[in-house]
């Protein structure tokens, strides 16, 4: 008996093991909570100009840094990244199907075609943007895939909206804001 009048509690290995297992399971659950991937446009490289009288179309390569902060590897389906200028569809970039290991980063090189018609539609604004060497582009993409969690594939969808400020003369990225929203598909 202890001094408080009750019985002394004995320490047991089974209680310690159960407590350690519960703490480990809780830590694993917290670490496995799905987090949004991050996307960052690194560069825009002009590959060709095509005269499409009376406008010029441009082919570019978008280099995008993608980060998977999750503890599960992912696989994703092919999709299209849509690019907009002043609300008009400027072009698109193809994202091929692929995969990414857990807690990793990779660079994706996405070929894109930008249509001069969209710029011609907003010629006054475009000329002003070139003069001040700053132009806003918007982009949107939906990525669908699966993450390998234990013994099964967990389907997901990520929607990404980007606003990129570009120097239209040198094609330098001046500033950008990227928002992604991860949705886990339950079915």
């Amino acid at each position: 008996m202890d001094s408080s009048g009750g019985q002394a509690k004995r320490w047991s290995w089974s209680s310690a093991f159960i407590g350690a297992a519960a703490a480990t399971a809780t830590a694993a659950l917290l670490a496995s909570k799905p987090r949004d991937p991050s996307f960052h446009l690194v560069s825009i490289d002009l590959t060709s100009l095509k005269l499409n009288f009376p406008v010029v179309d441009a082919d570019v390569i978008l280099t995008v840094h993608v980060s998977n902060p999750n503890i599960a590897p992912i696989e994703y389906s092919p999709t299209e990244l849509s690019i907009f200028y002043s609300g008009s569809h400027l072009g698109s970039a193809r994202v091929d199907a692929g995969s990414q290991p857990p807690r990793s980063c990779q660079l994706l090189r996405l070929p894109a075609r930008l249509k001069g018609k969209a710029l011609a539609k907003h010629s006054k604004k475009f000329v002003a943007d070139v003069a001040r060497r700053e132009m806003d582009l918007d982009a949107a993409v939906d990525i669908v895939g699966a993450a390998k969690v234990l013994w099964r594939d967990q389907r997901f969808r990520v929607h990404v909206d980007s606003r990129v400020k570009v120097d239209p003369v040198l094609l330098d990225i001046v500033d950008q804001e990227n928002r992604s929203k991860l949705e886990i598909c339950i079915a």
Side-chain angles (χ1 to χ4, degrees):
M1 287 227 251
D2 67 9
S3 61
S4 64
Q7 285 193 341
K9 292 190 179 181
R10 291 185 346 164
W11 189 84
S12 76
W13 281 102
S14 61
S15 294
F17 178 73
I18 290 170
T24 301
T26 302
L29 183 63
L30 291 174
S32 68
K33 180 182 178 226
R35 293 182 294 196
D36 290 354
S38 66
F39 302 87
H40 184 81
L41 181 62
V42 176
S43 66
I44 303 171
D45 299 309
L46 182 66
T47 57
S48 71
L49 292 172
K50 295 188 169 106
L51 182 59
N52 190 6
F53 194 75
V55 295
V56 176
D57 293 341
D59 288 333
V60 297
I61 299 287
L62 306 174
T63 302
V64 180
H65 179 265
V66 182
S67 175
N68 174 14
N70 297 294
I71 63 169
I74 60 170
E75 292 184 7
Y76 49 90
S77 303
T79 190
E80 291 281 322
L81 170 91
S82 296
I83 304 164
F84 301 92
Y85 175 70
S86 197
S88 295
H89 188 261
L90 180 60
S92 59
R94 176 135 177 91
V95 180
D96 291 329
S99 63
Q100 187 161 345
R103 293 188 176 151
S104 67
C105 301
Q106 65 183 3
L107 290 176
L108 299 179
R109 293 182 49 81
L110 310 175
R113 162 127 335 140
L114 305 179
K115 306 279 186 193
K117 257 186 204 179
L119 296 177
K121 186 176 179 181
H122 302 283
S123 59
K124 195 174 192 177
K125 181 177 181 350
F126 179 66
V127 169
D129 286 350
V130 170
R132 67 184 175 100
R133 299 204 40 193
E134 211 170 84
M135 123 189 226
D136 288 326
L137 298 175
D138 295 304
V141 66
D142 289 308
I143 301 165
V144 176
K148 191 66 148 173
V149 181
L150 297 176
W151 59 90
R152 62 187 276 262
D153 287 342
Q154 177 61 60
R155 307 280 308 150
F156 67 86
R157 177 181 175 267
V158 176
H159 178 79
V160 182
D161 286 312
S162 299
R163 164 131 307 176
V164 180
K165 194 174 296 279
V166 175
D167 175 343
V169 176
L170 299 176
L171 294 180
D172 289 336
I173 293 127
V174 177
D175 191 21
Q176 65 184 292
E177 179 184 337
N178 301 297
R179 294 178 313 279
S180 61
K181 184 172 192 278
L182 175 68
E183 295 176 15
I184 302 299
C185 305
I186 301 173

